[in-house]
Amino acid sequence: MLRSKAYVRKTRRGKVLKIVREHYLRTDIWCGCPSCKLCDTSDALFEPSADEYVVLDTNVVLHQMDMLENHAITDVIVPSVVREEVKHRNISVYNRLRALCADKTKRFYVFANEYHEETYTERSPNESPNDRNDRAIRTCALWYQKHLPHIKLVLVTNDKANMNKALEAGLKAQTAIVFAQSRSSQPQLLDLVARPQNEEDSDEEDQLDSRPQKRQAIYREHLPLSELERGIREGRFHQGTLRTNRHDPSKASVASESVGQAIQIKDHIDMNRTVDGDRVVLELLPEDQWGAEAATLREGDGDEGEEEEPEAGLAPAPAEEGHGVGVG
């Protein structure tokens, strides 16, 4: 099928040119599903046992690439309109997306929706390019939902308007953080989701990309050096070297002489932008927020000896926990 668009343009020398642009639409662009009975499955990319496919919006690719690169994210549909929009907006992210699509183990399938007869979306009068691209993504998702009724389909988007229109059209749509939460067997995905705000992180509305707004701080500001020194002298703060857990980089411990044992740090927020090897200053959390551990795992070179085993019959002592207030 051929779509053509003709218009006239006046040159600098006053000549009038007629320009005709032709857009060829095809019916032999396959869906990539190995169990599809309507398409050629000789080059099918998706896992035969997969029961859910993911369709990506442009804003998710631009801002959630760390999550998408995780090994747990597979069987993903990338509409060609998304790939081209990412290419024009951020060439670095575009190169990372190309690497994902080239990785056969990730199974990222680029569907040429702009050249498929049933998914091509022509721009309406007075419609912005962004709104037209969003409509093209929804049209692609709706086609897959109709084409593969036995496969669950989810559209991942952080665009509020696109989300509402997708839900009205009968699509299953989720924000990036809700999508990560739905993968309960892969809890590490939540740490990889880029959160634009620090308030009400669990609220779905806060994860929607409505319109530009002032970005709020995620981490607390470091206290000035004079206040840190005064807090250490008064015993309110404790100083030591931060060591991250080699099995879980989101957790760490700080060996402090003033406390007598390692102070545990439970997540990146409490680390407060410090990294392994930093000399940090901590403030202890209230005792009711401490976690119970039988022994403190020391992260180091292993030359300090083994931890003593707790005596039989004794309850494990609570491990003191704190959060970073500065570096010094």
Side-chain angles (χ1 to χ4, degrees):
M1 183 177 180
L2 175 64
R3 293 283 186 91
S4 61
K5 183 178 181 180
Y7 59 95
V8 294
R9 188 180 68 180
K10 187 176 182 180
T11 66
R12 293 181 179 179
R13 296 185 177 182
K15 294 183 179 180
V16 177
L17 297 178
K18 183 179 180 180
I19 300 176
V20 179
R21 290 185 176 177
E22 296 181 340
H23 192 93
Y24 292 89
L25 301 179
R26 303 171 55 174
T27 58
D28 58 346
I29 298 176
W30 315 127
C31 65
C33 175
S35 61
C36 181
K37 298 180 180 180
L38 302 176
C39 297
D40 183 357
T41 59
S42 58
D43 295 326
L45 180 66
F46 295 129
E47 178 67 29
S49 60
D51 61 350
E52 182 182 71
Y53 294 163
V54 180
V55 179
L56 298 179
D57 195 2
T58 305
N59 55 69
V60 173
V61 177
L62 287 172
H63 304 295
Q64 307 295 341
M65 187 56 71
D66 288 342
M67 179 186 73
L68 297 178
E69 289 175 334
N70 187 273
H71 65 87
I73 305 298
T74 56
D75 300 302
V76 176
I77 300 167
V78 183
S80 59
V81 63
V82 170
R83 187 182 64 172
E84 292 304 311
E85 194 173 3
V86 171
K87 181 179 180 180
H88 286 92
R89 296 179 61 178
N90 192 320
I91 192 64
S92 176
V93 175
Y94 172 72
N95 289 333
R96 294 170 69 181
L97 178 62
R98 286 189 60 191
L100 285 178
C101 296
D103 187 351
K104 299 299 183 181
T105 64
K106 292 287 292 178
R107 301 189 294 278
F108 273 56
Y109 180 65
V110 179
F111 179 71
N113 67 298
E114 295 287 66
Y115 300 96
H116 195 288
E117 183 177 356
E118 297 184 37
T119 59
Y120 172 71
T121 305
E122 194 166 355
R123 184 177 173 184
S124 302
N126 302 323
E127 186 179 33
S128 68
N130 182 67
D131 290 341
R132 181 265 168 194
N133 290 343
D134 287 346
R135 187 160 58 90
I137 296 170
R138 295 194 302 272
T139 301
C140 176
L142 286 169
W143 180 84
Y144 262 95
Q145 184 172 266
K146 180 181 178 181
H147 186 75
L148 301 172
H150 62 289
I151 300 291
K152 298 177 184 177
L153 195 81
V154 55
L155 172 63
V156 182
T157 176
N158 281 346
D159 188 300
K160 188 173 183 178
N162 199 19
M163 165 81 71
N164 293 335
K165 292 179 180 179
L167 294 175
E168 292 174 1
L171 286 168
K172 179 182 178 182
Q174 295 177 340
T175 60
I177 189 170
V178 173
F179 172 74
Q181 290 171 343
S182 67
R183 302 293 178 101
S184 56
S185 60
Q186 304 291 338
Q188 74 276 11
L189 292 179
L190 279 175
D191 289 334
L192 299 175
V193 176
R195 293 180 172 90
Q197 300 181 6
N198 68 331
E199 295 181 1
E200 302 293 338
D201 282 341
S202 60
D203 189 354
E204 181 176 331
E205 290 295 326
D206 286 342
Q207 300 304 317
L208 296 176
D209 179 18
S210 49
R211 289 301 103 189
Q213 56 183 338
K214 185 177 179 180
R215 182 169 181 172
Q216 300 181 8
I218 298 176
Y219 299 98
R220 293 180 295 271
E221 291 188 6
H222 288 175
L223 298 178
L225 184 59
S226 58
E227 188 171 346
L228 295 177
E229 292 176 346
R230 183 169 62 252
I232 293 174
R233 289 196 303 268
E234 296 173 355
R236 294 184 292 112
F237 299 155
H238 308 277
Q239 193 175 37
T241 301
L242 184 136
R243 295 297 181 190
T244 56
N245 189 314
R246 70 186 66 177
H247 304 292
D248 186 356
S250 66
K251 301 182 185 300
S253 62
V254 175
S256 176
E257 296 181 358
S258 59
V259 176
Q261 64 176 357
I263 303 173
Q264 303 299 315
I265 302 178
K266 60 184 178 182
D267 54 33
H268 286 300
I269 302 300
D270 285 342
M271 285 188 200
N272 200 4
R273 295 164 291 170
T274 56
V275 296
D276 186 80
D278 282 350
R279 187 74 174 171
V280 300
V281 179
L282 303 179
E283 181 181 24
L284 293 180
L285 295 173
E287 190 171 350
D288 57 359
Q289 298 182 21
W290 295 355
E293 294 185 357
T296 302
L297 177 62
R298 293 183 179 177
E299 293 296 331
D301 296 331
D303 55 354
E304 297 182 3
E306 298 181 352
E307 292 290 332
E308 296 182 358
E309 295 291 337
E311 296 183 11
L314 295 180
E320 296 177 305
E321 293 186 0
H323 62 88
V325 295
V327 178

